[in-house]
Amino acid sequence: MQHKKYLIKLIAVILIVVFAPNVYGQSNKTGKTTITPMRVKYSRQRLKEFERLIVEKGDISAYHAYIHNGFGIYCLPYALIMANKYNYARANDDVYNFLFLAFQDANSKMDSITLDFAMKHLERGSEMGDEGCSSDLYVIYAYGKENIPIDTIKARKYFFRYGNNHTEADWASEKREIEQRMESLKKAK
């Protein structure tokens, strides 16, 4: 039952984001122009070919061309395919980022099921050796994010995973900063 609710929420978010008007690069009523992310534009036919190559062959070049055409939630199914069917480590980070951005665009926090799903993909990508996943996990545990509290033990683990040249002295400095943040958060409450 909970799985069904999660799928309904995920589909609703995907539909909202896909069919919401794209306001990048358009002037708003105040006359200010928003910044347009750099995108490569391909024909619809070429995009369909990328989709086919991703689904049928796990083509990494097609995957990167597709997601860089327009980094958005509609890329999520292809990131999931690359991460889970073809074990492409980098796609696990994309799964997290597509979900995070979708909720951020909707001015909403991730529900616990979606957050758990996204975090499992980051952890999986980190285990597979993706530095982007390890870096994201370090930031999440060092600074706290969403409903995830600061955790110095996990932050340390990912600190050393994403940085090959990090030393114990580097970690000691980082840990002091984390502990200071934790202390200031306690005082603010």
Side-chain angles (χ1 to χ4, degrees):
M1 186 63 168
Q2 209 172 23
H3 181 68
K4 193 181 262 187
K5 285 181 182 179
Y6 164 74
L7 287 176
I8 291 170
K9 283 182 182 180
L10 184 61
I11 290 169
V13 168
I14 290 171
L15 290 174
I16 289 168
V17 173
V18 169
F19 293 109
N22 183 4
V23 295
Y24 291 111
Q26 297 177 2
S27 295
N28 60 23
K29 291 180 182 178
T30 64
K32 294 181 181 176
T33 303
T34 58
I35 298 171
T36 305
M38 190 171 110
R39 295 183 182 166
V40 179
K41 294 295 180 186
Y42 292 101
S43 68
R44 188 69 208 136
Q45 182 180 3
R46 186 72 176 132
L47 289 173
K48 287 288 185 193
E49 177 64 13
F50 289 153
E51 291 170 356
R52 185 188 68 74
L53 289 170
I54 293 166
V55 172
E56 292 177 7
K57 298 182 179 184
D59 187 299
I60 293 171
S61 296
Y63 173 71
H64 283 283
Y66 188 81
I67 66 169
H68 288 105
N69 183 66
F71 196 81
I73 190 71
Y74 60 88
C75 297
L76 178 61
Y78 301 100
L80 287 165
I81 289 168
M82 290 299 291
N84 297 311
K85 182 177 179 182
Y86 295 107
N87 293 315
Y88 180 48
R90 177 69 193 147
N92 288 285
D93 194 42
D94 293 334
V95 169
Y96 170 81
N97 286 316
F98 292 142
L99 288 169
F100 179 76
L101 290 172
F103 279 86
Q104 187 178 26
D105 288 347
N107 291 324
S108 180
K109 282 192 171 192
M110 275 192 211
D111 59 274
S112 61
I113 296 169
T114 306
L115 182 60
D116 184 58
F117 181 78
M119 291 297 291
K120 286 198 184 318
H121 276 84
L122 279 181
E123 290 164 4
R124 182 174 182 263
S126 178
E127 291 292 327
M128 295 169 78
D130 183 69
E131 284 192 16
C133 290
S134 296
S135 176
D136 284 351
L137 285 164
Y138 165 73
V139 169
I140 290 166
Y141 290 119
Y143 293 87
K145 190 170 190 178
E146 298 285 329
N147 295 325
I148 300 171
I150 293 172
D151 183 330
T152 57
I153 294 169
K154 289 182 179 179
R156 182 184 190 283
K157 173 183 175 180
Y158 296 112
F159 177 78
F160 284 106
R161 273 202 190 160
Y162 89 83
N164 294 333
N165 298 325
H166 288 151
T167 65
E168 285 295 333
D170 295 332
W171 170 247
S173 174
E174 288 291 319
K175 185 176 179 185
R176 275 191 301 279
E177 288 181 29
I178 293 168
E179 289 169 345
Q180 287 171 352
R181 272 194 305 281
M182 289 171 67
E183 195 61 39
S184 63
L185 287 172
K186 286 179 185 175
K187 288 179 183 177
K189 288 181 180 181

